[in-house]
Amino acid sequence: MKKQTIFCRILLPTMAALLLLPPLSCLIFQHAAEKYAYEEAIHDLDRLQQNILPLMQNIDPGEFAPSPDTAGSAGNFLFQISSYMRKTAGNAKLIIFESRMRVIYPRDELEREMITPLAADFKQYILENKASLANGSTELKSSDGQAYLVNIYTMPMESAQAKYVVAYSPVSKIGSWVRDASILVLIISSVFVLLVFVVLWLAIRSITHPLHKLCREAEQIGNGSFSEIEPSFQLKELEDLRLSMNQMSRQLLHSEEVQRDFFQNVSHELRNPLMSISGYAQGIEQERFASPKDAARTILTESKRLTELVNSLLTLSRMEGDPNSPVLNSVTVIDSIEECLDRINGLALKKEIAVSLLPFDETICAFGDEELICRVLENLLTNAIRYAKTVVTVSVTVEKELLCISVSDNGEGISEKDLPHIFERCYKGRGGNFGIGLAIARSAAQKMGGTLNAANAPSGGAVFTLRLKKG
């Protein structure tokens, strides 16, 4: 299955969303603007109605009764209308028809001439719907195709001077304005999308380019080149990744050096006993020794040393190579310690070293594996007896949720040069044997989810501490 790049994973969905932005913005704006514009037109007509109707309803019918003075009375009404229309803002306009459907408002001849076609359309509508005229907004189309919102009012009295009042507001102009504004919104949003695309493309490139570089550097590390990655990156996450890869490179280089030293040391440790065994065997074969028993004893000693080394290597390899964790249980610590003390008792007597166990709560349990605990303690006790002057001390303490088993001696302690490397495979400090025992001990501690640390006691001598979870 073809994998997507970060560039495609981020850019494609974002671009799909951005491409939808201009038309959606245009549609939403158009709908909202049209709705707002229609509401404004209706509002203008309603406001006009609120001011015109009271003038109509408050007129004394006698003012419009047929008389020589009626023209003056109608003129007064039209004057009030004209005065109001000059002060009122908005798009609403008025056309007033007399009973014979002649336009008497607007009063200005030029303005009246301009609205003649529209007045004719309104006149035709009134004549066709005279019986069903009712107050309320109606949308009408004129003969030239323009749309209007219209309110038609009938004067409340019979008069030859004023019969129908038509309030109207153009809708087509609103629609034209909305279309023009929508095109402007479309252009602006498209430019905005283009700018966002450019910025997004540059931002993604600023991430993917360093990542490609880090991938190439990772390939170099895989090929055995452990040089550090330079220069640094501006992005914190990429810089953290670079530092982590440099740390990994240093650790791999160190592991390679340790492995090389390990094979060199193991080869050396194996070569010496094998050469001794081979040399003494040849001497016995050629009858060059006056006492073959001494040669046989040397061969037996070297064979035993060789067997011990091979067993240690196999143990270390098995522990580090086995991915399965041991089954951990609650182990009574006193039983494991006493068993280990019994095992090393002969060595302690031979070296004339006193091994003491400080009193502690013997009901304390540790969460671990009894065999692994014994392997760690036996290794620590053996080392302590080798370096102690007179005494080795075992103590058990509790630190919060951890059980600590410490093995200390009164020897000269661990040198500062050896202390950081004491648990490395085949690293032999002063007086060391094979340099494998402590590596096995730490690996065993880690298998149980614990830790093994080394330090120098303030009073002198080395202190090794095994920390396990309380059982």
Side-chain angles (χ1 to χ4, degrees):
M1 182 178 178
K2 187 177 180 180
K3 302 295 183 181
Q4 276 189 322
T5 62
I6 293 178
F7 190 85
C8 293
R9 176 61 65 87
I10 296 176
L11 191 63
L12 292 180
T14 307
M15 280 307 302
L18 288 175
L19 289 175
L20 291 174
L21 181 62
L24 286 177
S25 300
C26 184
L27 290 174
I28 293 172
F29 171 79
Q30 185 174 359
H31 176 75
E34 286 180 351
K35 184 177 180 181
Y36 174 77
Y38 270 85
E39 288 179 354
E40 281 296 303
I42 293 174
H43 175 70
D44 289 342
L45 290 177
D46 289 343
R47 185 171 55 183
L48 189 62
Q49 172 181 307
Q50 292 172 4
N51 289 275
I52 296 300
L53 288 183
L55 293 176
M56 296 167 56
Q57 293 171 355
N58 292 332
I59 294 175
D60 186 354
E63 293 183 3
F64 284 94
S67 68
D69 198 31
T70 53
S73 300
N76 184 49
F77 171 71
L78 296 178
F79 175 78
Q80 293 180 6
I81 294 293
S82 299
S83 176
Y84 171 75
M85 293 300 292
R86 284 195 300 269
K87 297 177 182 178
T88 303
N91 295 317
K93 304 294 182 182
L94 282 179
I95 296 178
I96 300 178
F97 294 95
E98 53 147 27
S99 57
R100 291 174 297 186
M101 301 307 293
R102 185 171 62 89
V103 177
I104 61 174
Y105 184 86
R107 305 178 72 177
D108 183 76
E109 291 294 334
L110 181 60
E111 186 178 355
R112 189 182 302 175
E113 184 178 347
M114 291 175 60
I115 65 166
T116 298
L118 181 61
D121 293 331
F122 289 159
K123 175 182 176 181
Q124 182 179 355
Y125 178 81
I126 292 173
L127 294 175
E128 291 176 354
N129 300 276
K130 184 182 295 186
S132 59
L133 289 177
N135 294 341
S137 297
T138 304
E139 185 171 342
L140 298 178
K141 275 194 175 182
S142 63
S143 56
D144 60 357
Q146 300 296 318
Y148 295 89
L149 283 178
V150 180
N151 282 355
I152 300 176
Y153 310 100
T154 303
M155 294 294 288
M157 73 294 294
E158 293 293 333
S159 171
Q161 298 296 324
K163 182 64 176 177
Y164 299 104
V165 178
V166 180
Y168 66 95
S169 181
V171 175
S172 296
K173 291 182 180 180
I174 296 173
S176 177
W177 175 85
V178 169
R179 284 192 296 273
D180 294 340
S182 298
I183 293 173
L184 182 61
V185 170
L186 182 63
I187 294 173
I188 294 174
S189 57
S190 298
V191 173
F192 173 75
V193 167
L194 181 61
L195 291 176
V196 171
F197 172 77
V198 173
V199 172
L200 184 62
W201 185 82
L202 293 175
I204 296 175
R205 288 289 297 171
S206 69
I207 297 173
T208 56
H209 181 70
L211 282 177
H212 288 314
K213 180 180 179 181
L214 291 173
C215 288
R216 291 192 296 270
E217 294 292 343
E219 290 177 0
Q220 294 298 321
I221 293 174
N223 293 330
S225 175
F226 302 119
S227 58
E228 294 198 358
I229 304 170
E230 297 291 346
S232 61
F233 298 112
Q234 294 297 323
L235 290 176
K236 182 180 183 301
E237 291 79 2
L238 291 175
E239 179 63 11
D240 290 343
L241 178 58
R242 184 187 74 88
L243 295 176
S244 298
M245 290 181 67
N246 284 341
Q247 177 67 18
M248 177 186 68
S249 181
R250 288 191 291 270
Q251 290 177 347
L252 288 173
L253 179 61
H254 177 68
S255 297
E256 188 177 74
E257 293 173 349
V258 169
Q259 186 176 17
R260 184 171 58 250
D261 293 341
F262 172 74
F263 284 116
Q264 290 176 353
N265 293 334
V266 169
S267 299
H268 178 73
E269 293 294 339
L270 290 172
R271 188 187 305 114
N272 288 340
L274 286 173
M275 289 178 63
S276 295
I277 292 171
S278 177
Y280 278 96
Q282 289 176 6
I284 293 174
E285 182 184 24
Q286 297 173 10
E287 297 180 353
R288 292 185 179 182
F289 296 107
S291 177
K293 289 184 178 181
D294 294 335
R297 188 179 300 110
T298 301
I299 291 175
L300 183 61
T301 301
E302 293 298 327
S303 298
K304 184 178 179 181
R305 184 169 181 269
L306 183 61
T307 301
E308 183 181 350
L309 174 59
V310 171
N311 288 336
S312 297
L313 290 173
L314 290 175
T315 300
L316 180 62
S317 176
R318 184 169 58 252
M319 293 188 65
E320 293 186 348
D322 186 6
N324 299 321
S325 300
V327 179
L328 304 181
N329 299 297
S330 181
V331 178
T332 305
V333 175
I334 186 62
D335 295 337
S336 300
I337 294 176
E338 288 181 345
E339 181 179 350
C340 293
L341 292 178
D342 290 339
R343 292 181 185 178
I344 56 89
N345 187 48
L347 178 62
L349 292 175
K350 181 180 179 181
K351 296 286 187 177
E352 297 181 352
I353 300 297
V355 180
S356 64
L357 174 61
L358 299 182
F360 69 97
D361 183 1
E362 297 184 358
T363 62
I364 294 178
C365 296
F367 192 68
D369 180 83
E370 186 172 1
E371 181 182 351
L372 293 179
I373 293 175
C374 287
R375 181 169 293 171
V376 175
L377 293 179
E378 187 176 353
N379 184 281
L380 298 181
L381 288 168
T382 302
N383 278 353
I385 291 171
R386 183 184 303 129
Y387 292 103
K389 293 178 180 179
T390 57
V391 66
V392 171
T393 304
V394 180
S395 62
V396 180
T397 57
V398 176
E399 296 178 359
K400 296 182 180 179
E401 298 299 320
L402 297 178
L403 182 68
C404 303
I405 305 174
S406 299
V407 177
S408 59
D409 61 67
N410 62 346
E412 296 180 1
I414 306 170
S415 69
E416 294 298 326
K417 180 186 70 173
D418 295 335
L419 193 57
H421 309 286
I422 198 70
F423 293 105
E424 294 178 4
R425 294 178 297 178
C426 289
Y427 184 86
K428 291 193 298 183
R430 181 184 53 82
N433 193 1
F434 300 124
I436 297 178
L438 288 177
I440 294 175
R442 169 165 279 191
S443 181
Q446 292 173 345
K447 284 282 186 181
M448 294 183 289
T451 59
L452 179 61
N453 302 104
N456 288 315
S459 58
V463 180
F464 289 85
T465 304
L466 171 64
R467 290 181 173 85
L468 298 172
K469 294 180 180 179
K470 287 178 62 178

